[in-house]
Amino acid sequence: MPQQSDLSYPLSAVVGSEDMVLSLVLASIAPALGGVLVRGEKGTAKSTAVRALARVLPPVRVVEGDRFSTDPDDEAEVSPDGPFGVDAAVTSRPVRLVELPVGAGEDRVTGSLHLERALADGVAEYEPGLLARAHRGLLYVDEVNLLHDHLVDLLLDASATGRATVERDGVSLTHPARFVLVGTMNPEEGELRPQLLDRFGLAVDVAAPRDPATRVEVVRRRLAYEADPAAFVARFAQDEHLLASRIADARDLAASVVLGDAMLLAVAQVCAAFEVDGLRADIVTARAAVAHAAWCGRTGVTREDVRVAARLALPHRRRRSPFDSPGLDDDLLDQALDDALGPDDEPEPPTPDGGTDGGGGGGGGGDGPGDSDGPATDERPGTAPEGGTSSTPDVPSARTDDVPAPQPHAPQPEPPQQPAGPTTTAAADAPFRTRLLQARGTTRGRSRSDAGRRSRAESATGRRTGARPASRGGSLHLLETLRAAIPHQAARGRGTGAGGGDRLLIERSDLREAVREGREANLVLFCVDASGSMAARSRMAAVKATILSLLLDAYQRRDTVGLVTFRGSAAELLLPPTGSVDVAAARLEQMPAGGRTPLAEGLAECARVLDRERRRAGARRPLLVVVTDGRATSGPNALTRSLEAADVLAADGVDTVVVDCEAGPMRLGLARTLAARLGAEHLPVGTVDASALDAAVRGSILRGRAA
């Protein structure tokens, strides 16, 4: 039963986004699914729906004083705090919603030595982390795409196995960690790595509603909630109670649901048709189909259960490259089901409330339209969403036919100063593996979010390269601290009774922190020459392939990217710095070419962009990649002004790489001259391809051996 004292927004009052709510419900029915990833633009009820889910989950029975919340009715669950006697007090409590901050460390997630007890009492006691607290509850990670990879992997491993193992700080133990893992993210702020994306059991994309009537209902409910939260929650109390009861019944029924051989073959047929890697997709789809059957009150899996499960479990697994859009082809899905089960001539089975699985949302309570195209919300805790589900507690099956797809990013209009003239838009050639481009030297990482795989930097993780006097916020290095204190023990009176007997005497000046070197992510700003000298179709296709390959490399190294282009008489910031490289790839694909070459204006625009980014909190170290043939033909003294603009960037200490696109027998070497003025690394475009470079080096070695 939902907690009436909780005034958070009710799940049954959310309008639209049936697929998102259904995926959360299915993961609650079958936690072994591996969690849910919710992707969507800001203001789409992601956080609101997750926080509302905790209200409708059944309470859990726990032993009083058990920090690990083990199930007293499950003899297989052993708590590190146990054993508990047969007369131990047992109580019920609501399901916990544990939120994991993006900046949390590994010790906060898994737990570690209780430092206060160790220092004060000399007792080695384990302090549980967030995984232990989330056991039998919800673990929520907002902006999961900004969480460090090894922490995401740690969460997903625990979610899949149901246990967490701790081997750190002299602590060695294993404890239960079964929870519903929910991650939310805005794709425009960066993508999850493919290997991590695949580890989420279900994934769903949400978008804001386009229907005016739905938007009106969203606003009406939000205003009503903000005016009187208690009255609004009471208004939906009955719906919340029904929804909670249905989830509890589905959990009990799930163990009795039969997945027959025919339906299991259909699952395998669908997964094979979409060419997903590995067998995790088959397992998750099968589990989701069972959970959906239980949610609908059935004891056998049907065709519609498999279809719904495939819609939620497969779209994020079929991406062949980071720039592929997730999604399923409905015709291919139907064809795969027809091949396995025969044509679908049967009517859709009814749900417990008398409807059918495949419909749109059913309205309830006379609160407005119950069918919508998507959500829109203020995602702050305790506020009403701007979208979600209808007031009925019956969450329909995931159907995307009526949900509008996110609108593609349209290219920005041409600046008014661009002269009219012929332009071309060439498609990129196939991308390739690039050589590593990195900023020079080693810097001290400014934040945990800087962690990446490009340039050398001091960081909280990585190999230890030394130690230094501890600063506020640094990680204490115990061994180096002891080494610093030992030479001063006699002077401090150790062993004479004056300083405390035989205890090691440590002062603040002895404290040392480890210096570790790892890799950081950078702001990679592409400055692309789109002028007429680059506009030959075959040439621009090769240039775009080079940039696309560098974007792919930036994706894999967790970089932020931006895109400046110049042609005609002006430069344009085609894409402000963003973590979403697939957006950058889309803008690159639409980039026109033609006209004169305003190289000076392009470099000046880059200087302005980098200056703005430098002033932002937590700004990343920039790496400027200039892609040009070096010709400057726009305006008076074009070449001189270009070199002067290069001097400004060089004076600012911007690390730069010039990719020289000059081709043909008559070469002027202007890009090399530009690189020299920028203090940049000069790379002919052919040497960016790591495979070609490796082949050239091997050929040179073989020729040398033959000689």
Side-chain angles (χ1 to χ4, degrees):
M1 178 71 182
Q3 301 298 306
Q4 298 303 316
S5 60
D6 184 359
L7 297 183
S8 61
Y9 197 88
L11 184 63
S12 56
V14 182
V15 180
S17 290
E18 291 85 358
D19 48 356
M20 175 177 67
V21 177
L22 179 63
S23 64
L24 294 173
V25 168
L26 295 183
S28 301
I29 295 171
L33 281 172
V36 179
L37 176 66
V38 183
R39 298 159 35 101
E41 58 197 19
K42 52 186 177 293
T44 48
K46 300 187 299 294
S47 297
T48 300
V50 175
R51 295 188 175 102
L53 178 64
R55 286 174 45 92
V56 296
L57 296 183
V60 295
R61 283 166 40 87
V62 296
V63 177
E64 288 188 0
D66 182 9
R67 297 175 299 168
F68 297 86
S69 300
T70 52
D71 187 352
D73 301 321
D74 186 353
E75 295 181 358
E77 274 198 5
V78 179
S79 170
D81 283 348
F84 304 104
V86 294
D87 57 346
V90 177
T91 185
S92 293
R93 64 162 176 79
V95 167
R96 287 174 179 158
L97 172 63
V98 179
E99 298 194 38
L100 172 61
V102 171
E106 185 175 347
D107 56 344
R108 185 71 184 95
V109 176
T110 61
S112 64
L113 191 68
H114 195 300
L115 189 58
E116 183 178 352
R117 292 292 308 276
L119 294 178
D121 305 326
V123 176
E125 179 181 319
Y126 171 70
E127 183 176 14
L130 295 178
L131 294 182
R133 181 170 175 77
H135 179 49
R136 302 172 68 197
L138 299 172
L139 183 60
Y140 174 45
V141 188
D142 192 15
E143 306 296 349
V144 66
N145 50 321
L146 303 182
L147 197 65
H148 198 281
D149 282 354
H150 79 280
L151 291 183
V152 177
D153 210 14
L154 188 68
L155 296 181
L156 297 176
D157 281 339
S159 178
T161 63
R163 306 194 67 80
T165 300
V166 183
E167 297 285 352
R168 56 181 298 125
D169 301 329
V171 175
S172 178
L173 61 82
T174 300
H175 64 80
R178 289 185 289 104
F179 48 81
V180 178
L181 176 64
V182 183
T184 57
M185 58 175 283
N186 182 352
E188 293 184 357
E189 296 175 353
E191 293 282 355
L192 275 175
R193 296 296 161 278
Q195 67 272 23
L196 301 181
L197 188 65
D198 177 68
R199 299 289 295 278
F200 276 97
L202 308 178
V204 61
D205 287 81
V206 293
R210 300 295 183 260
D211 176 41
T214 303
R215 300 175 78 99
V216 167
E217 182 62 20
V218 168
V219 175
R220 180 183 293 118
R221 293 191 181 191
R222 175 176 177 176
L223 294 179
Y225 175 81
E226 291 181 345
D228 191 345
F232 189 85
V233 170
R235 170 183 164 192
F236 288 92
Q238 182 63 23
D239 289 339
E240 291 287 276
H241 175 75
L242 294 175
L243 183 56
S245 297
R246 186 175 174 187
I247 291 176
D249 292 343
R251 280 187 168 185
D252 295 337
L253 183 61
S256 304
V257 174
V258 176
L259 177 64
D261 290 343
M263 292 303 160
L264 188 56
L265 178 62
V267 169
Q269 191 94 3
V270 169
C271 293
F274 286 102
E275 300 180 344
V276 295
D277 296 328
L279 293 175
R280 183 178 289 126
D282 301 63
I283 296 171
V284 172
T285 304
R287 286 174 174 167
V290 169
H292 188 263
W295 169 244
C296 295
R298 294 190 292 269
T299 56
V301 173
T302 67
R303 177 193 184 105
E304 183 62 20
D305 297 325
V306 175
R307 180 184 178 86
V308 169
R311 286 183 176 276
L312 298 176
L314 298 186
H316 62 297
R317 290 188 164 88
R318 64 180 304 268
R319 301 181 69 174
R320 289 306 180 191
S321 80
F323 307 131
D324 291 339
S325 299
L328 286 184
D329 186 320
D330 288 342
D331 293 337
L332 180 57
L333 176 57
D334 290 333
Q335 182 61 50
L337 290 171
D338 288 345
D339 291 343
L341 302 172
D344 182 20
D345 298 325
E346 297 295 327
E348 293 180 348
T351 57
D353 65 346
T356 59
D357 287 341
D367 294 314
D371 186 47
S372 69
D373 295 325
T377 183
D378 181 350
E379 295 184 12
R380 296 172 297 170
T383 62
E386 296 173 358
T389 64
S390 63
S391 61
T392 174
D394 176 30
V395 182
S397 299
R399 303 285 269 181
T400 59
D401 306 84
D402 299 326
V403 180
Q407 296 298 313
H409 294 276
Q412 297 181 2
E414 292 293 336
Q417 62 268 37
Q418 290 280 26
T423 61
T424 61
T425 303
D429 290 340
F432 48 81
R433 181 174 64 90
T434 67
R435 63 187 296 177
L436 174 61
L437 307 182
Q438 59 183 336
R440 294 187 293 268
T442 303
T443 61
R444 187 170 184 178
R446 287 174 286 273
S447 69
R448 190 175 295 271
S449 63
D450 283 341
R453 301 185 181 92
R454 185 170 297 277
S455 302
R456 295 168 54 192
E458 292 183 16
S459 62
T461 60
R463 64 185 183 89
R464 186 168 66 87
T465 59
R468 62 185 169 212
S471 60
R472 176 171 292 184
S475 177
L476 186 66
H477 192 286
L478 182 59
L479 180 59
E480 294 297 335
T481 297
L482 296 178
R483 285 179 176 175
I486 286 173
H488 306 290
Q489 296 306 296
R492 294 172 183 172
R494 181 185 180 188
T496 64
D502 292 332
R503 292 184 303 169
L504 184 66
L505 303 178
I506 299 178
E507 297 182 357
R508 182 177 294 275
S509 60
D510 300 326
L511 300 181
R512 297 291 186 270
E513 66 181 12
V515 178
R516 297 183 180 275
E517 182 179 299
R519 293 280 176 176
E520 69 174 354
N522 294 109
L523 163 59
V524 181
L525 181 62
F526 292 93
C527 182
V528 181
D529 184 347
S531 64
S533 62
M534 303 280 288
R537 184 169 298 275
S538 59
R539 188 175 181 189
M540 182 52 69
V543 169
K544 284 189 175 182
T546 299
I547 302 171
L548 189 64
S549 303
L550 292 170
L551 283 173
L552 178 59
D553 182 66
Y555 172 91
Q556 295 167 341
R557 300 183 188 279
R558 300 185 65 87
D559 293 317
T560 299
V561 297
L563 181 60
V564 171
T565 64
F566 55 94
R567 68 185 186 93
S569 61
E572 177 185 6
L573 179 58
L574 198 64
L575 179 70
T578 175
S580 181
V581 296
D582 54 347
V583 175
R587 298 291 177 90
L588 176 68
E589 188 69 23
Q590 300 161 355
M591 183 186 74
R596 292 184 176 274
T597 312
L599 178 57
E601 286 74 7
L603 296 176
E605 178 64 19
C606 290
R608 286 191 290 270
V609 171
L610 294 177
D611 183 63
R612 286 197 303 269
E613 292 300 311
R614 193 180 296 119
R615 300 172 189 272
R616 296 180 184 272
R620 291 179 170 180
R621 186 158 52 134
L623 175 63
L624 177 62
V625 180
V626 182
V627 183
T628 182
D629 57 8
R631 291 181 172 86
T633 60
S634 178
N637 302 317
L639 181 58
T640 301
R641 291 187 297 107
S642 299
L643 297 179
E644 290 174 350
D647 292 339
V648 172
L649 287 167
D652 288 341
V654 178
D655 291 314
T656 308
V657 176
V658 175
V659 178
D660 188 350
C661 299
E662 190 174 28
M666 299 295 295
R667 302 192 181 190
L668 303 178
L670 297 176
R672 183 180 293 277
T673 302
L674 177 65
R677 295 292 286 266
L678 285 166
E681 181 180 4
H682 173 263
L683 291 178
V685 68
T687 65
V688 177
D689 187 339
S691 301
L693 185 61
D694 291 345
V697 171
R698 286 194 297 269
S700 177
I701 294 174
L702 291 175
R703 287 192 297 272
R705 289 176 178 175

